[in-house]
């Protein structure tokens, strides 16, 4: 096996259901998969675009969201390194009827198993089908959490949850984000985000400059969440 083939095999082994495949199915995935790169801000998939199939994030971050006719975006969930997703592939799973979009939040590399190949092995391999439906349930739970926040949670708490989650995810109290980016990720308007951040700043919880949010009092942020 040459170096390039060995590197590709190392990536394929990262597919969560890889060890559940038969030798023949593994050959199909080898032929029907590809590593694809996207620059930050690139559109990975639109609801009316070509279906990707099953994706595994090798590097970077994806954002999956709904886009209204008025241009408002509601973030459903995000995927980071090691995460898989099939929920945006409505062409693979006919039961999925709502229309999602996917963009790269950072420079991102994906391992994509093309829709036709994934559909075929999911139909014949019960372990892959179980993986698919377990993943759908997991992602749908994230969607419901996002909807619950938007519908039933005051924006002060929603913003506090978002800031604390980012602090936990990155391990840094310095978040490099604009008010516009936060608005998209929290399903709100930039003006609402700016007003609430100013209130948090007046209370000594955060400090912000252009493109950066500094978390000054994590303890008080947690109190808002509770």
């Amino acid at each position: 096996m040459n170096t390039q083939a060995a590197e590709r095999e190392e990536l394929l082994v990262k597919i969560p259901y890889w060890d559940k495949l038969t030798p023949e199915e593994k050959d199909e995935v080898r032929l029907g998969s590809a590593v694809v790169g996207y620059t930050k801000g690139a559109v990975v998939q639109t609801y009316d675009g070509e279906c990707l199939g099953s994706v595994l994030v090798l590097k970077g971050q994806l954002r999956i969201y709904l886009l209204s006719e008025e241009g408002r975006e509601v973030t459903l969930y995000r995927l980071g390194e090691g995460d898989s997703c099939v929920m945006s592939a409505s062409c693979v799973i006919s039961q999925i009827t709502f229309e999602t979009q996917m963009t790269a939040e950072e420079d991102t590399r994906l391992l994509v198993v093309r829709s036709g190949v994934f559909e075929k092995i999911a139909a014949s391999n019960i372990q892959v089908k179980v993986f698919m439906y377990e993943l759908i349930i997991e992602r749908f739970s994230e969607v419901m959490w996002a909807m619950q926040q938007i519908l039933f949670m005051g924006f002060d708490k929603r913003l506090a949850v978002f800031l604390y989650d980012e602090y936990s995810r990155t391990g840094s109290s310095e978040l490099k984000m604009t008010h516009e980016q936060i608005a998209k990720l929290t399903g709100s308007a930039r003006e609402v985000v700016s007003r609430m951040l100013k209130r948090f700043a007046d209370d000594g919880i955060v400090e912000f400059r252009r493109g950066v949010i500094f978390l000054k009092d994590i303890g008080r942020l947690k109190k808002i969440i509770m």
Side-chain angles (χ1 to χ4, degrees):
M1 185 180 293
N2 60 39
T3 303
Q4 187 175 9
E7 289 176 352
R8 181 174 174 78
E9 200 70 14
E10 287 180 9
L11 293 178
L12 290 170
V13 172
K14 294 182 179 182
I15 296 174
Y17 52 83
W18 180 254
D19 61 350
K20 305 295 192 301
L21 301 178
T22 65
E24 293 76 16
E25 288 168 341
K26 287 181 178 180
D27 286 339
E28 288 191 64
V29 172
R30 287 186 183 99
L31 293 172
S33 62
V35 175
V36 186
Y38 296 90
T39 57
K40 181 179 179 179
V43 176
V44 177
Q45 183 173 315
T46 61
Y47 71 87
D48 57 353
E50 182 182 354
C51 180
L52 280 178
S54 171
V55 302
L56 171 67
V57 181
L58 300 173
K59 176 187 175 184
Q61 183 168 265
L62 297 175
R63 180 171 70 98
I64 292 80
Y65 61 98
L66 297 174
L67 180 64
S68 73
E69 292 182 359
E70 296 76 26
R72 182 184 175 189
E73 297 178 6
V74 176
T75 299
L76 301 176
Y77 54 91
R78 288 185 287 172
L79 301 172
E81 184 175 333
D83 288 334
S84 298
C85 186
V86 295
M87 197 164 176
S88 60
S90 56
C91 54
V92 173
I93 308 161
S94 59
Q95 293 91 335
I96 295 178
T97 56
F98 61 87
E99 300 168 341
T100 60
Q101 314 246 39
M102 183 185 293
T103 58
E105 293 277 276
E106 305 169 1
D107 290 347
T108 300
R109 290 178 73 226
L110 303 177
L111 176 58
V112 179
V113 179
R114 295 188 182 94
S115 57
V117 173
F118 182 75
E119 184 177 18
K120 182 179 178 181
I121 62 174
S124 62
N125 188 315
I126 187 63
Q127 297 290 340
V128 177
K129 184 171 285 188
V130 168
F131 161 79
M132 179 179 74
Y133 282 111
E134 285 181 345
L135 194 57
I136 290 170
I137 291 169
E138 182 180 340
R139 298 296 169 234
F140 190 68
S141 295
E142 294 179 74
V143 170
M144 292 306 296
W145 169 238
M147 294 299 103
Q148 182 181 334
Q149 285 184 298
I150 291 171
L151 293 172
F152 304 118
M153 194 180 289
F155 189 67
D156 58 339
K157 190 170 182 177
R158 277 169 54 199
L159 182 58
V161 167
F162 172 79
L163 295 175
Y164 186 76
D165 283 350
E166 286 298 299
Y167 164 74
S168 300
R169 184 180 68 84
T170 64
S172 173
S173 57
E174 182 178 321
L175 309 179
K176 295 180 180 179
M177 287 186 169
T178 65
H179 295 192
E180 182 67 30
Q181 287 173 311
I182 294 174
K184 287 181 179 181
L185 291 168
T186 56
S188 187
R190 184 187 60 77
E191 295 78 8
V192 175
V193 171
S194 296
R195 284 198 299 270
M196 191 58 68
L197 281 174
K198 184 177 185 306
R199 198 181 100 183
F200 282 7
D202 291 342
D203 291 341
I205 300 171
V206 304
E207 178 183 323
F208 57 89
R209 299 173 197 159
R210 193 174 189 84
V212 185
I213 311 292
F214 300 93
L215 307 182
K216 308 294 289 184
D217 194 332
I218 301 298
R220 291 185 68 185
L221 202 60
K222 289 173 71 173
K223 283 183 180 180
I224 296 173
I225 297 170
M226 294 176 178

